[in-house]
Amino acid sequence: MFANSLPPRGTSIGPDIEGLATTASSPPSAEQSSFIVFKIRMMKVVYLLLSTFLLVALLLCDHPSAGAPPTQRAILIEFFNATGGPYWKSKTNWNTAANECTWQFVGCTAGKVSSLAPYYNNLTGTLPESFGYLIELTWLDLAVNRMYGTLPSTFKNLTSLWSVKLFDNMFSGTFPQLKNPQMVDVRYNDFSGPLPNIGLWTNLFTASFAVNRFSGTIPASIGSLSTLSSLFLNYNQLTGTIPSQLGNMGMMLMTLVFSHNNLTGSIPDHIFYPTNTNLMTFDASFNSLSGTLPLNTCSLYLQDLVINDNQVNGTLEMLSTCQFSNLQLQNNRFIGALPFIYPSYVSFNLANNYLINNNLEYYLFSEYAWIIDLSNTN
């Protein structure tokens, strides 16, 4: 019925599409005319859609990062340029035609970048936003460089990271809540704000947030980390108390360092024994701690007890069976008799307390104590 309304074979459906109206051999009826107009309009719409689709496809080919994550090669090149790559100490194969998995400091697993470790290599600059798209990254070591600025918002996307070493840089801002790392070392930076919820990192083995500007309190959830061996939070602006939950961490724990903060309250009763039996070093010096020493301070392996420059008080009788190698109790408020301390001490300082030196002669002539300071005791 509408055969005469169709264009002859080979007729263009491009810009000359309106010529279809003149291809009929006889004047169309009103019904045919309406259909022809409708069909022409629809073909124009299809033509415009196809043109738009082809244009977008061409743009995407020219700019693959538009609308899609960049390739790992593009990310590494951007990282290289953003951190002063031409001035790196060493940069074998970087920014060349060689496969990125052969570039120095880059490690790959099944063709995916899994490690990046250009530590102590004169990197200067900031991490680009694209960095968080290296989603297979498990090991990152940018330590001892001159990186600065905040970590990109995409950094939290690095959910496979299990080792993060950023120490000795100038990073600032908050530190992100990573998924579940095993090793975190960000000491000697300028991070601020609250600590991440470390207790959610159930596989954490060692962590150092020392020498930054972290504030707020120590997360009590840390007490659930049965795999944690060492935790360094010294030289920050932390407040509040040492959580009592830290007494439940278990036999893996060997080192706790909280010195040079603004901590208050007392040392938890069970932080040394019976659960944390392998704790070797406890340092909470230069805070505002008070209260007395726990009765079970003499745990089996505790070697370094450093709580100088606080307001801790009470007597020291509980130390008579300890076997420390380093005891620093100076500048506190201890009272009473100076205890007979087991002769395995290498260094101890009890200066500026209120102790009675009834065992002073022993300490002055002991062949076991190398450094002794009992000054300003009674």
Side-chain angles (χ1 to χ4, degrees), residues 183-321:
M183 180 184 301
V184 177
D185 192 345
V186 297
R187 60 197 148 107
Y188 292 101
N189 277 284
D190 196 33
F191 288 114
S192 58
L195 291 167
N197 193 348
I198 304 171
L200 297 179
W201 299 342
T202 55
N203 294 323
L204 189 64
F205 178 72
T206 180
S208 179
F209 293 90
V211 198
N212 281 280
R213 292 190 298 116
F214 288 107
S215 57
T217 59
I218 300 174
S221 58
I222 295 176
S224 64
L225 299 179
S226 60
T227 61
L228 187 63
S229 173
S230 59
L231 177 63
F232 297 86
L233 302 179
N234 46 309
Y235 286 95
N236 279 289
Q237 300 171 14
L238 300 174
T239 56
T241 61
I242 299 174
S244 60
Q245 290 85 346
L246 270 61
N248 304 321
M249 298 179 67
M251 297 180 63
M252 291 291 293
L253 186 64
M254 299 179 67
T255 304
L256 288 175
V257 180
F258 301 143
S259 66
H260 294 86
N261 281 286
N262 300 307
L263 300 176
T264 56
S266 59
I267 299 172
D269 285 340
H270 301 291
I271 200 163
F272 303 117
Y273 186 86
T275 305
N276 301 335
T277 53
N278 289 325
L279 184 63
M280 298 181 65
T281 298
F282 180 80
D283 184 349
S285 58
F286 294 96
N287 281 284
S288 297
L289 298 176
S290 57
T292 60
L293 287 177
L295 292 177
N296 52 15
T297 298
C298 291
S299 61
L300 183 60
Y301 294 105
L302 188 62
Q303 296 292 307
D304 304 296
L305 179 61
V306 183
I307 56 172
N308 55 281
D309 292 270
N310 281 284
Q311 301 169 26
V312 184
N313 54 66
T315 61
L316 299 177
E317 287 91 347
M318 76 287 292
L319 301 184
S320 60
T321 60

Side-chain angles (χ1 to χ4, degrees), residues 8-129:
R9 192 180 298 273
T11 301
S12 170
I13 61 170
D16 195 36
I17 195 168
E18 294 180 356
L20 288 171
T22 61
T23 60
S25 59
S26 60
S29 64
E31 182 181 2
Q32 289 176 322
S33 297
S34 298
F35 180 79
I36 291 172
V37 171
F38 171 77
K39 193 165 185 178
I40 290 173
R41 288 176 178 173
M42 290 303 296
M43 295 181 74
K44 283 183 176 181
V45 171
V46 172
Y47 173 78
L48 290 172
L49 289 174
L50 287 172
S51 300
T52 302
F53 175 79
L54 290 172
L55 179 60
V56 170
L58 288 172
L59 288 173
L60 288 175
C61 290
D62 290 338
H63 304 282
S65 62
T71 64
Q72 62 180 18
R73 183 183 183 88
I75 295 170
L76 292 175
I77 291 175
E78 186 174 5
F79 168 76
F80 180 80
N81 293 328
T83 57
Y87 303 100
W88 288 7
K89 289 182 180 180
S90 185
K91 49 183 180 294
T92 304
N93 285 344
W94 275 83
N95 214 9
T96 67
N99 185 281
E100 60 270 21
C101 291
T102 68
W103 295 358
Q104 191 176 10
F105 314 119
V106 176
C108 290
T109 302
K112 301 293 185 180
V113 174
S114 57
S115 66
L116 181 62
Y119 59 91
Y120 192 46
N121 199 46
N122 200 36
L123 276 66
T124 304
T126 60
L127 283 178
E129 194 69 20

